[in-house]
Amino acid sequence: MGDITASPLTRTEDALGAEDARNAARELRAQRLRAFLFVLPLLIFIAFAFVAPIASMLFRSAYNPTVAELVPASLEAIEDWDGEGRPPDAVLTQFAQDLKRLANDRTSGQLAEEINRFLPGTSSVVKSTARQLRRADDAALAADGPALLLEANDAWGEPGIWRALRKAGQVYSASYYLTALDLETTRDGSIQPRDTRIYLQLYGKTLWMAFIITVLTLVLGYPLAFHMAHSSTAHANFLMVFVLLPFWTSLLVRTTSWIALLQTNGVVNSTLMALGVTNNPLELLYTQFSTIIAMTHILLPFMVLPLYSVMRGIDPSYMRAAMSMGSRPIPAFLRIYLPMSLPGLSAGALLVFIISVGYYITPALVGGTDGQMISNIIAFHMQQSNNWELAAALGSLLLVLIVALYWLYDRFVGAGNIKLG
Amino acid sequence: MRRFPEYFTIWHIAGHYALRITAYLVLAFLILPILVIVPLSFNAEPFFTFTEGMLSLDPDAYSLRWYEEILTDQKWTLAIRNSFIIGVAAAILATVLGTVAAVGLASPRMPFKRLITALLLSPMIVPLIIIAAGMFFFYTSFGLVGTFPGLIIAHAALGVPFVIITVTATLSGFDRSLFSAGLSLGASPVRVFWDVVIPLIRPGVISGGLFAFVTSFDEVVLVLFLAGPEQRTIPRQMFSGLREQINPTILAVATLLVVLSMALLVTLEVLRRRSERLRGAE
């Protein structure tokens, strides 16, 4: 506010000057509040519709109360067990009673599925034991629980299944993150890499595919944007239609086109066979190749548009000047033009990379098993294996990756500067 | 023949034409895959490729049967209706909230502007699968999964960034003193907004709304997770068609969607020119 009181408009009397300053400050506050009130409804809407769902997913990745809600008494009983040998008989008795109750409530399957995640192969043990205990007599269970349990399946004599139960019973745990990073906790509590690297490998593959797609869009998009930027306005606007029409065409339409083109009996194979290039149709669809080519096609406009808008602003006389002074085209391009086009290049490359890392639909439709990306495995855990916590943990890691990339984008390009066509 | 500067050697000229040819090849790569489905959708046979009859332009090899199927198959008619219901409702919701917010964001006095802009644009950046997973968990507890309101809210959140971007762009040429002038003449902020701001930024608002509509109309990941059988949309129907029994009806639907996007492109171009005229073309 100092500059207001010091402005030449200020009266000489100090009292009036201070009052002016107060008025100005009040007016400023009112303007800030008014601006904020305009944004408030949307902020509330986005908080409910978008931010809260994402937050709940983050929460879910570390919070799983299912087992704790199913067998609270057993978990309490097993708490003091040292993890070696068979747990005390009281634990087995309590668990046998709990399992019978679950069997009658038809919720023993849930328990089986949860424990199975911590010790694969346990699901059938829990299910078959539950079936047998359902008919057991309450009094007999209370008196002779351990014997009945061991009779139903001798796996209950091993410590492994009980450790799995105790782990599954933790309400908050980082175990899904460990799984998502291909790590596991050993019996003494230290963390070590798992033998099979499924998820890290998939993250690596996703980043690699996104990188290839970014490079391909750059290689294809740069000359096109360059040519358009150096055409007359009318011609450039005409060529722009060829970029904007695919941009505005439904994603599923474009994916459909690639299926029609790349199918075993599709257009590409028919053409190749008619030309005599090959006698047997090539396996083009449902491969990593088809994911990459279809995504390059889909994301190319995201590269061309920012490149074009930057190149349009570069004065061509710089290049002409360099060349008239004897520079060869390639050095002139590398030292003059390329640095000037870097803002568009980084904007396009970051945008394409960010979008492709999280892509789902195209890999799901044309990728086969080979061309799947991290989003597809998240969907798999959501829909098929019903391992929502693992899906949430994998999703959270992907989110961290995207936020980091978005931060880079905002730093170098400015998120507010995104242009559409 | 084009004239080149005198210092150009034969290699410069060759490079010039090589660049030009590359550019046209890339344009062909962009457009041909989309155009190829148009003739294929008139195929009389249930194939995804050109038959000999089609190549020899035999009229019997062409047919409208796949288009007829769209109009008669209840799954498609329901999907078309749903797509429009959800798209229009989501676009209206996103446009109303987004336009009002963009006016606030354009104010130089807006507090935390950068942070809030980044937050409001983030639905465009966060991968859809993450949004879908989060919404599925969260909306379930409000009974919104498998309902129209749930999908409309979800799609509106996706459309908001586009409204913010287009309206902010239109507002960049907007003279803020008009707002102050309205207020100083005694009008309420709401009145000024409605009578002064909106008419001036209308082209931006309409194109923002169109963007939001298209976003919803083309969206399939959220629909996969949040929609019940009653809310199946066109992309959802195409998705299952492409996964299960591939049938040229999808090519006919795709062709109609290409025509729709052409119409959209023309509309947006008209709006853009109008907006430039209103702002006083540079």
Side-chain angles (χ1 to χ4, degrees):
Chain A
M1 307 309 94
D3 54 336
I4 292 173
T5 44
S7 80
L9 288 173
T10 316
R11 308 278 172 83
T12 39
E13 293 91 341
D14 280 338
L16 260 182
E19 196 179 312
D20 282 349
R22 263 200 305 282
N23 284 340
R26 196 181 309 129
E27 174 59 20
L28 196 66
R29 266 201 307 279
Q31 283 180 3
R32 286 168 69 98
L33 182 68
R34 203 156 56 220
F36 188 71
L37 283 179
F38 271 107
V39 181
L40 191 62
L42 181 60
L43 276 180
I44 295 172
F45 175 76
I46 287 294
F48 172 80
F50 179 76
V51 179
I54 303 261
S56 83
M57 187 204 66
L58 291 174
F59 185 60
R60 182 117 207 171
S61 63
Y63 172 78
N64 179 15
T66 314
V67 175
E69 279 165 6
L70 286 174
V71 291
S74 296
L75 288 171
E76 199 176 313
I78 206 173
E79 211 167 282
D80 296 329
W81 174 55
D82 62 1
E84 299 298 327
R86 213 177 83 187
D89 281 356
V91 175
L92 272 69
T93 310
Q94 181 60 51
F95 185 74
Q97 288 171 329
D98 276 345
L99 199 56
K100 184 196 164 185
R101 177 174 49 80
L102 295 186
N104 286 323
D105 294 348
R106 300 189 180 279
T107 46
S108 55
Q110 276 181 40
L111 182 74
E113 206 176 294
E114 296 285 332
I115 299 181
N116 195 58
R117 279 183 205 147
F118 292 88
L119 187 65
T122 328
S123 173
S124 58
V125 176
V126 179
K127 279 182 186 157
S128 74
T129 312
R131 261 198 308 277
Q132 293 180 46
L133 290 182
R134 191 156 56 168
R135 294 181 295 271
D137 181 52
D138 275 335
L141 264 183
D144 223 5
L148 285 170
L149 204 56
L150 290 168
E151 193 183 301
N153 198 313
D154 49 15
W156 297 107
E158 303 293 323
I161 196 164
W162 296 101
R163 280 199 293 267
L165 171 71
R166 193 155 67 172
K167 253 191 213 165
Q170 288 174 340
V171 179
Y172 292 95
S173 80
S175 59
Y176 296 103
Y177 279 98
L178 293 180
T179 311
L181 291 168
D182 288 330
L183 300 167
E184 58 187 1
T185 41
T186 55
R187 283 172 54 186
D188 54 17
S190 64
I191 292 169
Q192 65 170 40
R194 198 187 284 272
D195 301 334
T196 45
R197 300 278 177 97
I198 342 169
Y199 299 114
L200 285 185
Q201 210 174 41
L202 196 61
Y203 272 106
K205 190 169 100 178
T206 303
L207 290 174
W208 176 243
M209 282 169 77
F211 175 75
I212 303 257
I213 291 160
T214 309
V215 170
L216 283 175
T217 54
L218 192 59
V219 168
L220 297 175
Y222 202 95
L224 175 59
F226 186 91
H227 176 69
M228 282 167 66
H230 293 82
S231 304
S232 68
T233 313
H235 190 58
N237 282 344
F238 169 71
L239 296 183
M240 191 51 107
V241 173
F242 291 79
V243 180
L244 288 179
L245 184 65
F247 185 68
W248 282 112
T249 301
S250 163
L251 169 68
L252 274 156
V253 171
R254 287 183 278 170
T255 309
T256 308
S257 310
W258 283 105
I259 293 176
L261 284 170
L262 298 177
Q263 268 203 345
T264 314
N265 303 312
V267 177
V268 170
N269 268 321
S270 312
T271 313
L272 288 178
M273 282 163 71
L275 292 175
V277 179
T278 169
N279 289 323
N280 298 310
L282 304 171
E283 289 299 319
L284 300 168
L285 196 59
Y286 309 123
T287 58
Q288 195 169 336
F289 165 78
S290 53
T291 303
I292 289 176
I293 192 163
M295 283 180 65
T296 303
H297 179 249
I298 288 166
L299 296 175
L300 190 51
F302 289 93
M303 182 65 89
V304 174
L305 294 174
L307 267 177
Y308 172 73
S309 78
V310 167
M311 285 177 175
R312 196 82 201 166
I314 299 175
D315 190 339
S317 60
Y318 290 114
M319 273 292 271
R320 277 206 294 272
M323 283 172 64
S324 71
M325 290 163 92
S327 172
R328 308 240 315 258
I330 291 172
F333 170 78
L334 290 178
R335 290 168 65 179
I336 311 282
Y337 200 87
L338 187 65
M340 289 175 83
S341 66
L342 265 184
L345 198 153
S346 57
L350 271 168
L351 200 59
V352 170
F353 192 78
I354 291 176
I355 299 175
S356 42
V357 164
Y359 232 63
Y360 171 67
I361 289 297
T362 307
L365 286 173
V366 306
T369 45
D370 199 25
Q372 300 289 301
M373 297 174 83
I374 194 70
S375 284
N376 303 100
I377 202 78
I378 296 175
F380 168 78
H381 283 304
M382 287 283 298
Q383 294 174 315
Q384 264 120 54
S385 83
N386 278 325
N387 195 345
W388 292 358
E389 290 75 21
L390 183 57
L394 287 166
S396 305
L397 292 176
L398 176 61
L399 185 64
V400 169
L401 184 69
I402 295 288
V403 169
L405 288 167
Y406 185 41
W407 179 81
L408 269 180
Y409 184 85
D410 191 34
R411 233 183 115 77
F412 287 117
V413 186
N417 295 339
I418 299 174
K419 284 202 186 69
L420 301 160
Chain B
M1 186 76 191
R2 230 193 104 146
R3 287 174 60 135
F4 292 97
E6 281 169 17
Y7 51 81
F8 262 43
T9 65
I10 185 82
W11 292 109
H12 291 140
I13 296 168
H16 174 87
Y17 281 109
L19 177 77
R20 190 170 256 223
I21 290 166
T22 313
Y24 283 107
L25 285 177
V26 175
L27 282 173
F29 171 71
L30 273 168
I31 206 81
L32 286 181
I34 295 173
L35 295 186
V36 81
I37 56 174
V38 177
L40 283 179
S41 71
F42 295 102
N43 199 340
E45 306 297 325
F47 300 141
F48 268 28
T49 191
F50 294 97
T51 56
E52 301 217 343
M54 290 181 90
L55 292 174
S56 57
L57 296 178
D58 174 5
D60 289 341
Y62 292 87
S63 113
L64 287 172
R65 57 189 277 208
W66 311 114
Y67 289 87
E68 277 173 37
E69 199 164 319
I70 302 172
L71 294 176
T72 49
D73 188 336
Q74 212 202 331
K75 275 187 293 191
W76 282 109
T77 52
L78 180 72
I80 293 167
R81 214 191 63 195
N82 285 344
S83 273
F84 278 97
I85 293 175
I86 295 168
V88 168
I92 291 174
L93 188 58
T95 310
V96 170
L97 291 170
T99 304
V100 175
V103 171
L105 280 176
S107 158
R109 303 279 181 243
M110 180 64 204
F112 312 112
K113 190 192 238 164
R114 214 181 149 87
L115 183 74
I116 291 177
T117 309
L119 176 75
L120 293 179
L121 294 186
S122 58
M124 201 164 64
I125 301 293
V126 176
L128 280 164
I129 196 75
I130 296 181
I131 304 180
M135 282 179 172
F136 181 75
F137 295 140
F138 190 71
Y139 288 8
T140 305
S141 42
F142 291 90
L144 284 170
V145 171
T147 66
F148 278 99
L151 268 180
I152 290 167
I153 291 172
H155 278 185
L158 290 189
V160 157
F162 297 95
V163 178
I164 299 268
I165 289 170
T166 51
V167 178
T168 311
T170 324
L171 278 169
S172 68
F174 176 72
D175 185 357
R176 294 206 63 82
S177 58
L178 291 175
F179 204 99
S180 316
L183 290 179
S184 73
L185 289 168
S188 68
V190 175
R191 178 90 196 270
V192 177
F193 180 74
W194 197 249
D195 285 353
V196 180
V197 182
I198 288 290
L200 283 168
I201 62 171
R202 194 174 288 140
V205 175
I206 296 174
S207 58
L210 275 178
F211 276 89
F213 174 77
V214 175
T215 308
S216 163
F217 202 76
D218 191 23
E219 202 288 322
V220 59
V221 186
L222 299 188
V223 179
L224 280 173
F225 280 79
L226 301 176
E230 290 301 302
Q231 291 94 36
R232 282 184 159 230
T233 59
I234 300 170
R236 175 70 183 81
Q237 203 58 39
M238 290 179 80
F239 184 84
S240 51
L242 289 172
R243 270 219 153 159
E244 291 140 24
Q245 49 357 309
I246 297 190
N247 165 329
T249 317
I250 293 169
L251 295 180
V253 175
T255 304
L256 292 178
L257 290 179
V258 171
V259 173
L260 194 69
S261 45
M262 283 180 183
L264 186 86
L265 196 63
V266 172
T267 315
L268 281 169
E269 179 61 20
V270 169
L271 283 170
R272 194 180 63 78
R273 293 201 177 155
R274 203 181 129 83
S275 163
E276 269 178 9
R277 233 188 7 255
L278 275 179
R279 279 196 279 162
E282 295 92 311

